[in-house]
Amino acid sequence: MNTDYPHILVTNDDGVLAPGLAALAEALKAVGRVSVIAPDRNRSASGHVKTLHRPLRVDETCLANGLPALMTDGAPSDAVALGLMGLVPQPVHLVVAGINRGANVGHDLTYSGTVTAAMEGVIGGVPAFAVSLDVRASASEDYDVAAAFAAYLAHLVLDHGLPPGVLLNVNVPARASTDIQGVKVTRMGIRVYRDVLVTRKDPSGRPYYWIGGDPPTGILAEGTDFAALTQGFISVTPVQMDFTAYGLLGALESWPWDRWRAESDAWK
Ligand code: MN
């Protein structure tokens, strides 16, 4: 891999004006050439999207710190796809998404535009990681520590590489560098969502629904992303795109599949 002067594609899901994106792009300039292509608005929790039924627009803009960027009306994963398909100079050696405002742990990974943007990099054959700042219990929204860690990790990933189909999901506590306990390699934990359905009526009397409630918490199981963050550690989780439940393969094979034709007739 060309690690002399690597080319890094940077995106986020909080939108092109988010301070976390500017901090990330600035920090990664110390590692290599940086190209930014990001959504033109906040696309948090947009999941893994491929926009196929309308055109995608791309415009030149600047980040909050003045760095040049491209912005698109597509989703974060669209932004990565656009970049890898030629809207930024090729080749791209690394995709980095973030720095998200808010942790992405447990099942957040499936909702997160930040993590799914990194997934899009991996699907495109490029090593990738996502970085999020856990701002939940802190008034601090200083991205410097997370940005510096992202630059260090970019260097490590370019050096070591990642297996095909694997990305890293990184979460950084919103603490001063001196208050961070260290780095833990973790597994995906379990979020506890506290969503509440809010029902209201629009001016014409028609109901509408809004998902409200308190922010999610999580199960404090040792070794998980959520536990590490709660204990003040930077969490690094290897995530694979192979969703197969290997533990069930054997048991599932023992189901009576050979009777499918006869049995299916009975269910018509
Ligand atoms: Mn976000």
Side-chain angles (χ1 to χ4, degrees), residues 16-86:
V16 74
L17 291 177
L21 179 66
L24 180 63
E26 182 66 35
L28 289 175
K29 277 167 55 188
V31 183
R33 175 180 184 177
V34 172
S35 294
V36 180
I37 177 164
D40 59 5
R41 70 202 77 173
N42 191 332
R43 296 292 299 261
S44 293
S46 63
H48 203 167
V49 171
K50 182 174 282 191
T51 298
L52 297 176
H53 299 288
R54 65 173 177 85
L56 291 168
R57 303 290 181 178
V58 177
D59 289 298
E60 293 182 2
T61 186
C62 287
L63 304 184
N65 57 1
L67 288 176
L70 296 174
M71 64 177 175
T72 175
D73 59 353
S77 42
D78 288 322
V80 171
L82 288 168
L84 296 184
M85 287 191 288

Side-chain angles (χ1 to χ4, degrees), residues 15-228:
V16 74
L17 291 177
L21 179 66
L24 180 63
E26 182 66 35
L28 289 175
K29 277 167 55 188
V31 183
R33 175 180 184 177
V34 172
S35 294
V36 180
I37 177 164
D40 59 5
R41 70 202 77 173
N42 191 332
R43 296 292 299 261
S44 293
S46 63
H48 203 167
V49 171
K50 182 174 282 191
T51 298
L52 297 176
H53 299 288
R54 65 173 177 85
L56 291 168
R57 303 290 181 178
V58 177
D59 289 298
E60 293 182 2
T61 186
C62 287
L63 304 184
N65 57 1
L67 288 176
L70 296 174
M71 64 177 175
T72 175
D73 59 353
S77 42
D78 288 322
V80 171
L82 288 168
L84 296 184
M85 287 191 288
L87 285 202
V88 303
Q90 306 293 315
V92 173
H93 301 101
L94 177 67
V95 170
V96 185
I99 299 164
N100 189 60
R101 185 183 184 282
N104 277 305
V105 298
H107 289 146
D108 294 345
L109 272 65
T110 63
Y111 298 110
S112 168
T114 311
V115 177
T116 53
M119 288 180 176
E120 190 67 19
V122 165
I123 287 172
V126 179
F129 66 89
V131 194
S132 304
L133 183 70
D134 184 19
V135 295
R136 76 186 140 149
S138 168
S140 162
E141 209 180 305
D142 186 340
Y143 291 93
D144 287 355
V145 174
F149 183 77
Y152 175 60
L153 182 61
H155 165 77
L156 288 180
V157 169
L158 288 163
D159 208 22
H160 292 258
L162 287 172
V166 173
L167 58 137
L168 299 179
N169 181 42
V170 178
N171 285 277
V172 179
R175 299 183 178 199
S177 174
T178 47
D179 290 336
I180 289 182
Q181 304 300 305
V183 179
K184 274 193 177 175
V185 173
T186 58
R187 69 178 191 275
M188 194 176 126
I190 296 177
R191 265 291 199 206
V192 176
Y193 295 102
R194 298 184 286 177
D195 297 343
V196 172
L197 187 64
V198 177
T199 305
R200 292 182 183 149
K201 284 190 174 161
D202 70 15
S204 58
R206 190 170 163 227
Y208 64 89
Y209 304 93
W210 208 314
I211 299 173
D214 294 325
T217 175
I219 294 177
L220 269 176
E222 194 59 36
T224 63
D225 44 16
F226 181 75

